[in-house]
Amino acid sequence: MTSATPRRRGRPSRTESADTPATRDRILTAAREEFSERGYDKTSVRGIAKAAGVDSALVHHYFGTKEQVFEAAVTLSFAPAMEAPRTVEEGPLDGVGERLTRFVFGIWENPATRTPLLAIVRSAVNNEAAAAVFRRIIATQVLRRIADRLEVPDAELRAELAAAQLVGIAMLRYVIKVEPLASADPERIIERVAPVVQAHLTGPGL
């Protein structure tokens, strides 16, 4: 009697688990919730699989390692911010500071986009592996694309300085919740911050 052909790791048969796009989406949703509730360190592939109601092998099949699952979750949570580079093209460069600042605060002020983003940021702050994934996505999907659209000297550094300004304020307002910044009128913040962001992006050379 011959033995059955060994099954490749991470590719369970359809009789074991439903291998469908809906299943993939359910796994990704479960992963985002697990990372949100437990943080990166305490989240496991097995825990994600249990929350999604599938076998761990199916998680590996779709996403690979835990770090790759996290990257997929970051990409999903950060999807609204991926549109930031387009704000550069929506008008003249002398107004890009306000457009970008308003766009970023729009994401953070909306509970539907703020909640998953907060979870990802907290994981990135507390774990270096998670931070590395977050940095890579920010650098390649947002900052580099903004820099490519600026067409000014030192574009990458300018984009990073503008991002540092906006991310720093977001951390103090939404994550650490330092007062009076945490409860200040967002329009008042945008009014003060937009000129600074504009200076970083298009001001005199450094």
Short mmCIF file of all heavy atoms in Angstrom, two decimals, residues 93-165:
data_model
loop_
_atom_site.label_atom_id
_atom_site.label_comp_id
_atom_site.label_asym_id
_atom_site.label_seq_id
_atom_site.Cartn_x
_atom_site.Cartn_y
_atom_site.Cartn_z
N LEU A 93 1.03 73.83 -5.65
CA LEU A 93 1.91 73.47 -4.53
C LEU A 93 1.82 74.45 -3.37
O LEU A 93 2.10 74.08 -2.23
CB LEU A 93 3.36 73.38 -5.02
CG LEU A 93 3.76 72.08 -5.74
CD1 LEU A 93 5.24 72.13 -6.11
CD2 LEU A 93 3.47 70.85 -4.87
N ASP A 94 1.45 75.69 -3.62
CA ASP A 94 1.40 76.66 -2.53
C ASP A 94 0.23 76.40 -1.58
O ASP A 94 0.10 77.08 -0.55
CB ASP A 94 1.36 78.10 -3.05
CG ASP A 94 0.14 78.39 -3.93
OD1 ASP A 94 -0.76 77.51 -4.04
OD2 ASP A 94 0.08 79.48 -4.50
N GLY A 95 -0.61 75.41 -1.88
CA GLY A 95 -1.68 75.04 -0.97
C GLY A 95 -1.60 73.61 -0.49
O GLY A 95 -2.50 73.12 0.20
N VAL A 96 -0.48 72.94 -0.79
CA VAL A 96 -0.37 71.52 -0.46
C VAL A 96 -0.29 71.29 1.04
O VAL A 96 -0.75 70.26 1.55
CB VAL A 96 0.86 70.90 -1.17
CG1 VAL A 96 2.17 71.45 -0.61
CG2 VAL A 96 0.84 69.38 -1.05
N GLY A 97 0.26 72.23 1.79
CA GLY A 97 0.36 72.08 3.24
C GLY A 97 -1.00 71.94 3.89
O GLY A 97 -1.23 71.04 4.71
N GLU A 98 -1.92 72.81 3.52
CA GLU A 98 -3.27 72.73 4.09
C GLU A 98 -4.00 71.49 3.59
O GLU A 98 -4.69 70.83 4.37
CB GLU A 98 -4.08 73.97 3.73
CG GLU A 98 -5.49 73.91 4.34
CD GLU A 98 -6.28 75.18 4.13
OE1 GLU A 98 -5.69 76.18 3.66
OE2 GLU A 98 -7.48 75.17 4.45
N ARG A 99 -3.86 71.15 2.31
CA ARG A 99 -4.56 69.98 1.79
C ARG A 99 -4.11 68.71 2.49
O ARG A 99 -4.92 67.87 2.89
CB ARG A 99 -4.33 69.84 0.27
CG ARG A 99 -4.95 70.95 -0.55
CD ARG A 99 -5.07 70.57 -2.02
NE ARG A 99 -3.80 70.21 -2.62
CZ ARG A 99 -2.93 71.07 -3.15
NH1 ARG A 99 -3.19 72.37 -3.11
NH2 ARG A 99 -1.81 70.66 -3.73
N LEU A 100 -2.79 68.57 2.66
CA LEU A 100 -2.27 67.36 3.29
C LEU A 100 -2.64 67.31 4.77
O LEU A 100 -3.04 66.26 5.30
CB LEU A 100 -0.74 67.30 3.13
CG LEU A 100 -0.06 66.04 3.64
CD1 LEU A 100 -0.61 64.79 2.95
CD2 LEU A 100 1.45 66.13 3.45
N THR A 101 -2.53 68.44 5.46
CA THR A 101 -2.87 68.50 6.88
C THR A 101 -4.35 68.18 7.09
O THR A 101 -4.72 67.40 7.97
CB THR A 101 -2.55 69.88 7.46
OG1 THR A 101 -1.17 70.17 7.26
CG2 THR A 101 -2.86 69.94 8.94
N ARG A 102 -5.19 68.77 6.27
CA ARG A 102 -6.63 68.53 6.38
C ARG A 102 -6.97 67.07 6.07
O ARG A 102 -7.82 66.46 6.72
CB ARG A 102 -7.38 69.47 5.44
CG ARG A 102 -8.87 69.51 5.66
CD ARG A 102 -9.50 70.62 4.85
NE ARG A 102 -9.10 71.93 5.30
CZ ARG A 102 -9.58 72.55 6.39
NH1 ARG A 102 -10.50 71.94 7.13
NH2 ARG A 102 -9.15 73.74 6.73
N PHE A 103 -6.28 66.50 5.10
CA PHE A 103 -6.51 65.10 4.75
C PHE A 103 -6.15 64.18 5.92
O PHE A 103 -6.92 63.29 6.29
CB PHE A 103 -5.66 64.73 3.53
CG PHE A 103 -5.73 63.28 3.16
CD1 PHE A 103 -6.77 62.79 2.37
CD2 PHE A 103 -4.77 62.39 3.60
CE1 PHE A 103 -6.84 61.45 2.04
CE2 PHE A 103 -4.83 61.05 3.27
CZ PHE A 103 -5.87 60.57 2.49
N VAL A 104 -4.98 64.39 6.53
CA VAL A 104 -4.53 63.55 7.64
C VAL A 104 -5.46 63.67 8.83
O VAL A 104 -5.85 62.66 9.44
CB VAL A 104 -3.08 63.91 8.03
CG1 VAL A 104 -2.69 63.21 9.33
CG2 VAL A 104 -2.11 63.53 6.91
N PHE A 105 -5.86 64.90 9.18
CA PHE A 105 -6.76 65.07 10.31
C PHE A 105 -8.14 64.50 10.01
O PHE A 105 -8.84 64.04 10.92
CB PHE A 105 -6.86 66.54 10.71
CG PHE A 105 -5.77 66.96 11.66
CD1 PHE A 105 -4.58 67.47 11.20
CD2 PHE A 105 -5.93 66.80 13.03
CE1 PHE A 105 -3.56 67.82 12.06
CE2 PHE A 105 -4.93 67.15 13.91
CZ PHE A 105 -3.74 67.66 13.43
N GLY A 106 -8.54 64.51 8.75
CA GLY A 106 -9.81 63.90 8.38
C GLY A 106 -9.83 62.42 8.69
O GLY A 106 -10.85 61.88 9.16
N ILE A 107 -8.71 61.74 8.47
CA ILE A 107 -8.60 60.31 8.77
C ILE A 107 -8.67 60.07 10.28
O ILE A 107 -9.40 59.20 10.76
CB ILE A 107 -7.30 59.73 8.20
CG1 ILE A 107 -7.34 59.74 6.68
CG2 ILE A 107 -7.05 58.31 8.73
CD1 ILE A 107 -6.03 59.35 6.04
N TRP A 108 -7.91 60.87 11.03
CA TRP A 108 -7.86 60.67 12.48
C TRP A 108 -9.16 61.08 13.18
O TRP A 108 -9.52 60.50 14.20
CB TRP A 108 -6.69 61.45 13.07
CG TRP A 108 -5.36 60.79 12.89
CD1 TRP A 108 -4.38 61.11 12.01
CD2 TRP A 108 -4.87 59.66 13.63
NE1 TRP A 108 -3.32 60.27 12.14
CE2 TRP A 108 -3.58 59.37 13.14
CE3 TRP A 108 -5.38 58.88 14.66
CZ2 TRP A 108 -2.80 58.33 13.63
CZ3 TRP A 108 -4.61 57.84 15.16
CH2 TRP A 108 -3.34 57.57 14.65
N GLU A 109 -9.86 62.06 12.65
CA GLU A 109 -11.08 62.52 13.29
C GLU A 109 -12.27 61.58 13.03
O GLU A 109 -13.24 61.60 13.78
CB GLU A 109 -11.44 63.92 12.79
CG GLU A 109 -10.56 65.03 13.35
CD GLU A 109 -10.72 65.19 14.86
OE1 GLU A 109 -11.87 65.20 15.36
OE2 GLU A 109 -9.68 65.29 15.55
N ASN A 110 -12.18 60.76 12.01
CA ASN A 110 -13.26 59.83 11.68
C ASN A 110 -13.09 58.53 12.49
O ASN A 110 -12.12 57.81 12.30
CB ASN A 110 -13.22 59.52 10.18
CG ASN A 110 -14.37 58.62 9.76
OD1 ASN A 110 -15.07 58.02 10.57
ND2 ASN A 110 -14.56 58.51 8.45
N PRO A 111 -14.02 58.21 13.40
CA PRO A 111 -13.87 56.99 14.23
C PRO A 111 -13.71 55.73 13.40
O PRO A 111 -13.00 54.79 13.82
CB PRO A 111 -15.18 56.96 15.03
CG PRO A 111 -15.64 58.38 15.06
CD PRO A 111 -15.23 58.96 13.74
N ALA A 112 -14.33 55.66 12.23
CA ALA A 112 -14.26 54.45 11.40
C ALA A 112 -12.85 54.18 10.91
O ALA A 112 -12.45 53.03 10.76
CB ALA A 112 -15.22 54.57 10.21
N THR A 113 -12.09 55.24 10.65
CA THR A 113 -10.71 55.06 10.20
C THR A 113 -9.72 55.20 11.35
O THR A 113 -8.63 54.62 11.30
CB THR A 113 -10.37 56.09 9.11
OG1 THR A 113 -10.77 57.41 9.54
CG2 THR A 113 -11.09 55.76 7.82
N ARG A 114 -10.09 55.94 12.41
CA ARG A 114 -9.17 56.14 13.53
C ARG A 114 -8.97 54.88 14.35
O ARG A 114 -7.83 54.55 14.73
CB ARG A 114 -9.69 57.26 14.44
CG ARG A 114 -8.75 57.51 15.64
CD ARG A 114 -9.22 58.68 16.47
NE ARG A 114 -10.48 58.43 17.14
CZ ARG A 114 -11.58 59.14 16.97
NH1 ARG A 114 -11.60 60.14 16.11
NH2 ARG A 114 -12.69 58.85 17.62
N THR A 115 -10.03 54.12 14.62
CA THR A 115 -9.93 52.97 15.52
C THR A 115 -8.94 51.92 15.04
O THR A 115 -8.04 51.53 15.80
CB THR A 115 -11.33 52.34 15.73
OG1 THR A 115 -12.19 53.33 16.30
CG2 THR A 115 -11.24 51.14 16.66
N PRO A 116 -9.04 51.42 13.80
CA PRO A 116 -8.05 50.43 13.35
C PRO A 116 -6.65 51.01 13.23
O PRO A 116 -5.66 50.31 13.49
CB PRO A 116 -8.58 49.97 11.99
CG PRO A 116 -9.49 51.06 11.55
CD PRO A 116 -10.09 51.63 12.79
N LEU A 117 -6.56 52.29 12.88
CA LEU A 117 -5.25 52.92 12.77
C LEU A 117 -4.57 53.03 14.13
O LEU A 117 -3.36 52.78 14.26
CB LEU A 117 -5.40 54.30 12.15
CG LEU A 117 -4.13 55.01 11.69
CD1 LEU A 117 -3.34 54.14 10.74
CD2 LEU A 117 -4.48 56.34 11.04
N LEU A 118 -5.33 53.36 15.15
CA LEU A 118 -4.79 53.43 16.51
C LEU A 118 -4.21 52.09 16.94
O LEU A 118 -3.13 52.03 17.55
CB LEU A 118 -5.89 53.84 17.49
CG LEU A 118 -6.12 55.33 17.71
CD1 LEU A 118 -7.35 55.55 18.58
CD2 LEU A 118 -4.90 55.99 18.33
N ALA A 119 -4.92 51.01 16.63
CA ALA A 119 -4.46 49.68 17.02
C ALA A 119 -3.13 49.35 16.37
O ALA A 119 -2.22 48.80 17.01
CB ALA A 119 -5.51 48.63 16.63
N ILE A 120 -3.00 49.68 15.09
CA ILE A 120 -1.77 49.39 14.38
C ILE A 120 -0.61 50.23 14.91
O ILE A 120 0.50 49.76 15.10
CB ILE A 120 -1.96 49.64 12.87
CG1 ILE A 120 -2.97 48.64 12.29
CG2 ILE A 120 -0.64 49.57 12.13
CD1 ILE A 120 -2.59 47.20 12.43
N VAL A 121 -0.87 51.51 15.18
CA VAL A 121 0.17 52.40 15.70
C VAL A 121 0.66 51.91 17.06
O VAL A 121 1.86 51.89 17.33
CB VAL A 121 -0.36 53.84 15.80
CG1 VAL A 121 0.61 54.71 16.60
CG2 VAL A 121 -0.57 54.42 14.42
N ARG A 122 -0.25 51.48 17.92
CA ARG A 122 0.15 50.98 19.23
C ARG A 122 1.03 49.74 19.11
O ARG A 122 2.01 49.59 19.85
CB ARG A 122 -1.10 50.68 20.07
CG ARG A 122 -1.83 51.93 20.53
CD ARG A 122 -2.99 51.60 21.44
NE ARG A 122 -3.70 52.80 21.86
CZ ARG A 122 -4.98 53.04 21.66
NH1 ARG A 122 -5.73 52.14 21.02
NH2 ARG A 122 -5.54 54.14 22.08
N SER A 123 0.70 48.85 18.20
CA SER A 123 1.53 47.66 17.99
C SER A 123 2.91 48.05 17.50
O SER A 123 3.92 47.50 17.92
CB SER A 123 0.86 46.71 16.99
OG SER A 123 -0.27 46.09 17.54
N ALA A 124 2.96 49.02 16.58
CA ALA A 124 4.23 49.46 16.01
C ALA A 124 5.12 50.12 17.06
O ALA A 124 6.34 49.96 17.04
CB ALA A 124 3.99 50.41 14.85
N VAL A 125 4.50 50.84 17.98
CA VAL A 125 5.26 51.53 19.03
C VAL A 125 5.87 50.53 20.01
O VAL A 125 6.97 50.71 20.52
CB VAL A 125 4.36 52.53 19.78
CG1 VAL A 125 5.02 53.01 21.06
CG2 VAL A 125 4.03 53.71 18.88
N ASN A 126 5.18 49.43 20.24
CA ASN A 126 5.59 48.48 21.28
C ASN A 126 6.42 47.31 20.79
O ASN A 126 6.90 46.52 21.61
CB ASN A 126 4.35 47.94 22.00
CG ASN A 126 3.63 49.02 22.78
OD1 ASN A 126 4.26 49.88 23.38
ND2 ASN A 126 2.31 49.00 22.77
N ASN A 127 6.61 47.15 19.48
CA ASN A 127 7.35 45.99 18.99
C ASN A 127 8.16 46.39 17.77
O ASN A 127 7.64 46.99 16.83
CB ASN A 127 6.37 44.86 18.64
CG ASN A 127 7.08 43.63 18.14
OD1 ASN A 127 7.39 43.52 16.96
ND2 ASN A 127 7.34 42.70 19.02
N GLU A 128 9.45 46.03 17.77
CA GLU A 128 10.33 46.45 16.69
C GLU A 128 9.98 45.79 15.36
O GLU A 128 10.06 46.41 14.30
CB GLU A 128 11.79 46.13 17.05
CG GLU A 128 12.79 46.47 15.96
CD GLU A 128 12.68 47.91 15.45
OE1 GLU A 128 12.36 48.81 16.26
OE2 GLU A 128 12.92 48.13 14.25
N ALA A 129 9.59 44.51 15.40
CA ALA A 129 9.20 43.83 14.16
C ALA A 129 7.99 44.51 13.53
O ALA A 129 7.93 44.73 12.32
CB ALA A 129 8.91 42.36 14.42
N ALA A 130 7.02 44.85 14.39
CA ALA A 130 5.83 45.55 13.91
C ALA A 130 6.21 46.95 13.40
O ALA A 130 5.69 47.41 12.38
CB ALA A 130 4.79 45.65 15.02
N ALA A 131 7.13 47.61 14.11
CA ALA A 131 7.55 48.95 13.70
C ALA A 131 8.24 48.91 12.33
O ALA A 131 8.06 49.81 11.51
CB ALA A 131 8.50 49.53 14.74
N ALA A 132 9.02 47.86 12.09
CA ALA A 132 9.72 47.73 10.81
C ALA A 132 8.73 47.61 9.65
O ALA A 132 8.92 48.20 8.59
CB ALA A 132 10.65 46.52 10.84
N VAL A 133 7.68 46.83 9.87
CA VAL A 133 6.64 46.68 8.85
C VAL A 133 5.96 48.03 8.60
O VAL A 133 5.76 48.45 7.45
CB VAL A 133 5.60 45.63 9.27
CG1 VAL A 133 4.40 45.64 8.33
CG2 VAL A 133 6.22 44.25 9.32
N PHE A 134 5.62 48.71 9.68
CA PHE A 134 4.93 50.00 9.59
C PHE A 134 5.79 51.02 8.86
O PHE A 134 5.32 51.74 7.98
CB PHE A 134 4.60 50.48 11.00
CG PHE A 134 3.62 51.62 11.05
CD1 PHE A 134 2.33 51.46 10.59
CD2 PHE A 134 3.98 52.85 11.57
CE1 PHE A 134 1.41 52.50 10.63
CE2 PHE A 134 3.08 53.89 11.62
CZ PHE A 134 1.78 53.71 11.15
N ARG A 135 7.10 51.06 9.20
CA ARG A 135 8.02 52.00 8.55
C ARG A 135 8.10 51.74 7.05
O ARG A 135 8.12 52.67 6.25
CB ARG A 135 9.42 51.89 9.16
CG ARG A 135 9.61 52.61 10.47
CD ARG A 135 11.09 52.78 10.79
NE ARG A 135 11.81 51.51 10.84
CZ ARG A 135 11.96 50.79 11.94
NH1 ARG A 135 11.45 51.21 13.10
NH2 ARG A 135 12.64 49.68 11.92
N ARG A 136 8.20 50.46 6.70
CA ARG A 136 8.34 50.11 5.29
C ARG A 136 7.12 50.56 4.48
O ARG A 136 7.26 51.12 3.39
CB ARG A 136 8.54 48.60 5.15
CG ARG A 136 8.76 48.15 3.70
CD ARG A 136 9.25 46.72 3.63
NE ARG A 136 8.25 45.77 4.08
CZ ARG A 136 8.33 45.06 5.21
NH1 ARG A 136 9.37 45.21 6.00
NH2 ARG A 136 7.39 44.20 5.53
N ILE A 137 5.94 50.35 5.04
CA ILE A 137 4.73 50.75 4.32
C ILE A 137 4.64 52.27 4.22
O ILE A 137 4.32 52.82 3.16
CB ILE A 137 3.49 50.17 5.02
CG1 ILE A 137 3.47 48.64 4.84
CG2 ILE A 137 2.20 50.79 4.46
CD1 ILE A 137 2.34 47.96 5.57
N ILE A 138 4.93 52.96 5.32
CA ILE A 138 4.89 54.43 5.31
C ILE A 138 5.88 54.98 4.28
O ILE A 138 5.56 55.88 3.50
CB ILE A 138 5.23 54.99 6.71
CG1 ILE A 138 4.15 54.63 7.73
CG2 ILE A 138 5.41 56.51 6.64
CD1 ILE A 138 2.85 55.33 7.50
N ALA A 139 7.09 54.42 4.30
CA ALA A 139 8.14 54.93 3.41
C ALA A 139 7.81 54.71 1.95
O ALA A 139 7.94 55.62 1.11
CB ALA A 139 9.48 54.28 3.76
N THR A 140 7.38 53.50 1.59
CA THR A 140 7.19 53.17 0.18
C THR A 140 5.83 53.60 -0.36
O THR A 140 5.73 54.01 -1.52
CB THR A 140 7.36 51.65 -0.04
OG1 THR A 140 6.38 50.94 0.73
CG2 THR A 140 8.75 51.20 0.37
N GLN A 141 4.80 53.51 0.46
CA GLN A 141 3.45 53.77 -0.04
C GLN A 141 2.98 55.20 0.14
O GLN A 141 2.04 55.63 -0.53
CB GLN A 141 2.46 52.83 0.66
CG GLN A 141 2.71 51.37 0.41
CD GLN A 141 2.61 51.01 -1.06
OE1 GLN A 141 1.75 51.50 -1.78
NE2 GLN A 141 3.52 50.16 -1.52
N VAL A 142 3.62 55.95 1.05
CA VAL A 142 3.16 57.32 1.30
C VAL A 142 4.26 58.35 1.06
O VAL A 142 4.17 59.16 0.14
CB VAL A 142 2.60 57.45 2.74
CG1 VAL A 142 2.12 58.88 2.98
CG2 VAL A 142 1.45 56.48 2.97
N LEU A 143 5.32 58.30 1.86
CA LEU A 143 6.33 59.36 1.80
C LEU A 143 7.04 59.43 0.45
O LEU A 143 7.22 60.52 -0.10
CB LEU A 143 7.35 59.16 2.92
CG LEU A 143 6.79 59.24 4.34
CD1 LEU A 143 7.89 59.09 5.37
CD2 LEU A 143 6.04 60.55 4.56
N ARG A 144 7.44 58.29 -0.06
CA ARG A 144 8.15 58.30 -1.34
C ARG A 144 7.25 58.79 -2.47
O ARG A 144 7.69 59.51 -3.38
CB ARG A 144 8.68 56.90 -1.66
CG ARG A 144 9.74 56.88 -2.77
CD ARG A 144 10.42 55.52 -2.81
NE ARG A 144 11.10 55.26 -1.56
CZ ARG A 144 11.50 54.02 -1.16
NH1 ARG A 144 11.25 52.99 -1.93
NH2 ARG A 144 12.12 53.86 -0.02
N ARG A 145 6.00 58.42 -2.41
CA ARG A 145 5.05 58.85 -3.45
C ARG A 145 4.78 60.36 -3.35
O ARG A 145 4.62 61.03 -4.37
CB ARG A 145 3.76 58.05 -3.34
CG ARG A 145 3.92 56.60 -3.79
CD ARG A 145 2.69 55.79 -3.47
NE ARG A 145 1.48 56.37 -4.02
CZ ARG A 145 0.26 56.18 -3.51
NH1 ARG A 145 0.10 55.43 -2.43
NH2 ARG A 145 -0.78 56.74 -4.07
N ILE A 146 4.73 60.88 -2.13
CA ILE A 146 4.57 62.34 -1.96
C ILE A 146 5.80 63.05 -2.51
O ILE A 146 5.71 64.03 -3.25
CB ILE A 146 4.36 62.70 -0.48
CG1 ILE A 146 2.96 62.24 -0.02
CG2 ILE A 146 4.52 64.21 -0.27
CD1 ILE A 146 2.70 62.47 1.44
N ALA A 147 6.99 62.53 -2.16
CA ALA A 147 8.24 63.14 -2.62
C ALA A 147 8.31 63.16 -4.14
O ALA A 147 8.75 64.16 -4.75
CB ALA A 147 9.43 62.38 -2.04
N ASP A 148 7.89 62.09 -4.78
CA ASP A 148 7.93 62.00 -6.24
C ASP A 148 7.07 63.08 -6.90
O ASP A 148 7.34 63.49 -8.03
CB ASP A 148 7.46 60.62 -6.71
CG ASP A 148 8.47 59.53 -6.39
OD1 ASP A 148 9.64 59.86 -6.11
OD2 ASP A 148 8.08 58.35 -6.42
N ARG A 149 6.04 63.53 -6.21
CA ARG A 149 5.12 64.50 -6.78
C ARG A 149 5.52 65.95 -6.50
O ARG A 149 4.97 66.88 -7.09
CB ARG A 149 3.70 64.25 -6.25
CG ARG A 149 3.06 62.99 -6.83
CD ARG A 149 1.91 62.51 -5.97
NE ARG A 149 1.11 61.48 -6.62
CZ ARG A 149 1.46 60.21 -6.73
NH1 ARG A 149 2.64 59.81 -6.25
NH2 ARG A 149 0.68 59.33 -7.33
N LEU A 150 6.44 66.16 -5.57
CA LEU A 150 6.80 67.52 -5.18
C LEU A 150 7.66 68.23 -6.21
O LEU A 150 7.52 69.43 -6.44
CB LEU A 150 7.53 67.51 -3.83
CG LEU A 150 6.68 67.20 -2.60
CD1 LEU A 150 7.55 67.14 -1.37
CD2 LEU A 150 5.58 68.25 -2.43
N GLU A 151 8.62 67.53 -6.82
CA GLU A 151 9.52 68.11 -7.81
C GLU A 151 10.27 69.32 -7.25
O GLU A 151 10.34 70.39 -7.87
CB GLU A 151 8.76 68.48 -9.08
CG GLU A 151 8.12 67.27 -9.76
CD GLU A 151 7.38 67.64 -11.04
OE1 GLU A 151 7.25 68.85 -11.31
OE2 GLU A 151 6.95 66.72 -11.75
N VAL A 152 10.80 69.15 -6.04
CA VAL A 152 11.62 70.18 -5.41
C VAL A 152 12.88 69.52 -4.86
O VAL A 152 12.92 68.30 -4.69
CB VAL A 152 10.85 70.87 -4.24
CG1 VAL A 152 9.67 71.65 -4.77
CG2 VAL A 152 10.41 69.84 -3.20
N PRO A 153 13.94 70.29 -4.60
CA PRO A 153 15.16 69.71 -4.03
C PRO A 153 14.89 69.07 -2.66
O PRO A 153 14.03 69.54 -1.91
CB PRO A 153 16.10 70.91 -3.89
CG PRO A 153 15.58 71.92 -4.87
CD PRO A 153 14.09 71.72 -4.90
N ASP A 154 15.61 68.01 -2.34
CA ASP A 154 15.48 67.32 -1.05
C ASP A 154 14.04 66.87 -0.79
O ASP A 154 13.54 66.95 0.34
CB ASP A 154 15.95 68.23 0.10
CG ASP A 154 17.39 68.67 -0.04
OD1 ASP A 154 18.23 67.81 -0.36
OD2 ASP A 154 17.67 69.86 0.14
N ALA A 155 13.38 66.38 -1.82
CA ALA A 155 11.96 66.06 -1.71
C ALA A 155 11.67 64.99 -0.65
O ALA A 155 10.70 65.10 0.10
CB ALA A 155 11.41 65.62 -3.07
N GLU A 156 12.51 63.96 -0.58
CA GLU A 156 12.25 62.88 0.38
C GLU A 156 12.37 63.39 1.81
O GLU A 156 11.55 63.06 2.67
CB GLU A 156 13.20 61.70 0.15
CG GLU A 156 12.82 60.87 -1.07
CD GLU A 156 13.50 59.52 -1.08
OE1 GLU A 156 13.83 58.99 0.01
OE2 GLU A 156 13.71 58.99 -2.18
N LEU A 157 13.41 64.18 2.09
CA LEU A 157 13.59 64.74 3.42
C LEU A 157 12.44 65.67 3.77
O LEU A 157 11.92 65.65 4.90
CB LEU A 157 14.92 65.48 3.51
CG LEU A 157 15.22 66.17 4.85
CD1 LEU A 157 15.22 65.14 5.99
CD2 LEU A 157 16.56 66.89 4.79
N ARG A 158 12.00 66.46 2.82
CA ARG A 158 10.88 67.38 3.06
C ARG A 158 9.61 66.60 3.40
O ARG A 158 8.88 66.96 4.33
CB ARG A 158 10.64 68.23 1.81
CG ARG A 158 11.71 69.29 1.55
CD ARG A 158 11.50 69.93 0.18
NE ARG A 158 12.45 70.99 -0.08
CZ ARG A 158 12.29 72.26 0.23
NH1 ARG A 158 11.18 72.64 0.85
NH2 ARG A 158 13.20 73.17 -0.05
N ALA A 159 9.35 65.51 2.65
CA ALA A 159 8.16 64.70 2.92
C ALA A 159 8.24 64.07 4.30
O ALA A 159 7.24 64.00 5.03
CB ALA A 159 8.02 63.61 1.85
N GLU A 160 9.43 63.63 4.69
CA GLU A 160 9.60 63.01 6.02
C GLU A 160 9.41 64.03 7.14
O GLU A 160 8.83 63.72 8.18
CB GLU A 160 10.97 62.35 6.10
CG GLU A 160 11.09 61.10 5.23
CD GLU A 160 12.48 60.52 5.23
OE1 GLU A 160 13.36 61.06 5.94
OE2 GLU A 160 12.71 59.52 4.51
N LEU A 161 9.90 65.25 6.95
CA LEU A 161 9.73 66.28 7.96
C LEU A 161 8.26 66.66 8.11
O LEU A 161 7.76 66.84 9.23
CB LEU A 161 10.55 67.52 7.60
CG LEU A 161 12.08 67.38 7.76
CD1 LEU A 161 12.79 68.57 7.15
CD2 LEU A 161 12.44 67.23 9.23
N ALA A 162 7.56 66.75 7.00
CA ALA A 162 6.13 67.04 7.06
C ALA A 162 5.38 65.92 7.77
O ALA A 162 4.49 66.17 8.60
CB ALA A 162 5.58 67.23 5.64
N ALA A 163 5.75 64.68 7.45
CA ALA A 163 5.11 63.53 8.10
C ALA A 163 5.41 63.52 9.59
O ALA A 163 4.54 63.22 10.41
CB ALA A 163 5.59 62.23 7.45
N ALA A 164 6.65 63.84 9.96
CA ALA A 164 7.02 63.87 11.38
C ALA A 164 6.17 64.88 12.14
O ALA A 164 5.73 64.63 13.27
CB ALA A 164 8.50 64.21 11.53
N GLN A 165 5.92 66.02 11.50
CA GLN A 165 5.07 67.04 12.12
C GLN A 165 3.67 66.51 12.37
O GLN A 165 3.10 66.63 13.46
CB GLN A 165 5.00 68.26 11.19
CG GLN A 165 4.36 69.48 11.78
CD GLN A 165 5.34 70.27 12.63
OE1 GLN A 165 6.47 70.46 12.23
NE2 GLN A 165 4.89 70.75 13.78
#
